[in-house]
Amino acid sequence: MRQAPVDGGGRVGQAGPMLRSLGTVRALGMQDVEDALEVCRRDPVTNVFVAARILESGLAGTRGPLFSYDSGGERALCWCSANVVPVEATSSRAIGALAAKVVRRRAWASSVFGPADQVLDLWGRLVRHWGVPREIRDNQLVMTMRESPMALGQVVDPGVRVARRDELDIVLPAATAMFTEEIGYPPYQGSGVAYRQGVATLIERGHCLVRVEDGQVVFKADLGSVALGVAQVQGVWVHPRWRGQGLAAPAMAAVVEHTLRHVAPVVTLYVNDFNEPAVATYRRVGFVQTGTFATVLL
């Protein structure tokens, strides 16, 4: 499945005419955490990425990355870091106002992703400022499950477990390979310190699951976002030499089983529609489609 790009990279597009703000938009701070989470709670599965970032950051700082649109009884959010992610922005007016704020705040981004209708509308307003994207993936299946794979009769790989802190050096190559294969470029240029720390943080939280054979990671999956009773799986990767051997479905079943027991009662992920083997694997485990995302890669 696709993993959201980390902060960094991106392209600067040609500047176009400044977008006009069509409503009240402001940056949120520490005092707004609970209100922002209430907006995310309207659809915890769809909004888990932003909810997790809110909880992790506490919205500290005077120029935080989260904006709120509030006008005429409508409330929407937009996470605006290297990843731009709209939340509950269901009207054209809200999208227009948030787009204007995004353009004023950022000269570039690595991606725009989230609910397909919101992302494609938002991107239509940003494209003149940020230029032609590398790729638009406009039909990504949001897949979710709440039932134990074992209860559904699925085989669960007993070799999949939480990565240990002392395994960072063998997890890092797997994470790097997954990102590069999926996105089309490496996760960092120059120093890899920040990326290494991001992988280390997942391991320290117990949110990286692996199967290791002869000192090498052959399967990896991360719980990249956890919030509001939902865990979003991302960074799923099988070593090339182990592909086509029936490893993926039992390994994913093990990830879901662990997550339901120890992390959150709902497990979700999103996957490109053209990745037919992955979609088939997730369906075999017990995932069902519950929504549609889009991602604009810059």
Side-chain angles (χ1 to χ4, degrees):
M1 68 165 282
R2 203 195 70 82
Q3 172 170 290
V6 296
D7 285 9
R11 278 183 198 172
V12 178
Q14 296 296 317
M18 180 58 68
L19 291 166
R20 291 181 55 215
S21 179
L22 301 176
T24 302
V25 179
R26 66 182 181 91
L28 301 186
M30 297 172 64
Q31 71 279 6
D32 301 302
V33 166
E34 287 305 317
D35 286 344
L37 289 174
E38 277 303 309
V39 177
C40 293
R41 284 190 182 97
R42 296 179 200 165
D43 188 343
V45 168
T46 297
N47 301 326
V48 62
F49 175 88
V50 172
R53 304 293 85 75
I54 292 170
L55 291 170
E56 291 167 2
S57 68
L59 300 182
T62 56
R63 285 177 59 82
L66 187 66
F67 305 143
S68 170
Y69 168 84
D70 194 347
S71 181
E74 182 180 6
R75 185 86 182 278
L77 307 173
C78 187
W79 184 261
C80 185
S81 184
N83 302 300
V84 175
V85 187
V87 175
E88 301 296 316
T90 56
S91 75
S92 177
R93 189 176 182 87
I95 291 287
L98 291 169
K101 187 72 170 180
V102 169
V103 167
R104 286 197 297 271
R105 175 60 65 88
R106 298 200 67 84
W108 55 267
S110 295
S111 73
V112 183
F113 74 91
D117 54 348
Q118 299 176 45
V119 165
L120 297 176
D121 191 351
L122 180 61
W123 177 245
R125 301 162 193 263
L126 297 176
V127 62
R128 70 188 64 157
H129 300 272
W130 287 355
V132 178
R134 287 195 313 110
E135 185 179 357
I136 297 178
R137 301 176 178 180
D138 60 1
N139 186 24
Q140 297 175 306
L141 283 61
V142 178
M143 306 187 78
T144 305
M145 65 183 300
R146 295 170 171 83
E147 294 182 79
S148 159
M150 292 181 67
L152 295 173
Q154 301 301 319
V155 175
V156 175
D157 187 343
V160 174
R161 57 172 174 78
V162 174
R164 302 192 306 263
R165 292 185 179 183
D166 63 356
E167 292 178 315
L168 173 60
D169 286 338
I170 64 171
V171 173
L172 193 61
T176 302
M178 181 275 150
F179 187 103
T180 304
E181 289 177 23
E182 182 66 24
I183 305 302
Y185 56 82
Y188 60 87
Q189 294 181 351
S191 173
V193 172
Y195 185 73
R196 180 183 179 90
Q197 183 55 52
V199 175
T201 297
L202 286 169
I203 294 175
E204 289 165 5
R205 290 175 177 167
H207 289 175
C208 177
L209 288 96
V210 295
R211 176 172 169 175
V212 178
E213 297 290 339
D214 298 323
Q216 184 177 59
V217 172
V218 299
F219 171 84
K220 179 193 74 71
D222 303 322
L223 306 181
S225 300
V226 178
L228 308 180
V230 178
Q232 184 182 73
V233 180
Q234 61 186 53
V236 178
W237 181 81
V238 176
H239 193 286
R241 289 202 299 270
W242 286 71
R243 293 173 189 173
Q245 300 183 36
L247 171 67
M252 274 303 300
V255 170
V256 173
E257 197 71 39
H258 169 85
T259 304
L260 292 176
R261 290 185 180 187
H262 302 289
V263 182
V266 180
V267 183
T268 189
L269 53 80
Y270 59 105
V271 57
N272 296 311
D273 63 330
F274 54 78
N275 191 347
E276 295 179 1
V279 172
T281 293
Y282 300 143
R283 284 180 172 152
R284 192 174 306 124
V285 172
F287 284 92
V288 296
Q289 184 175 1
T290 57
T292 304
F293 270 13
T295 296
V296 180
L297 294 173
L298 301 171

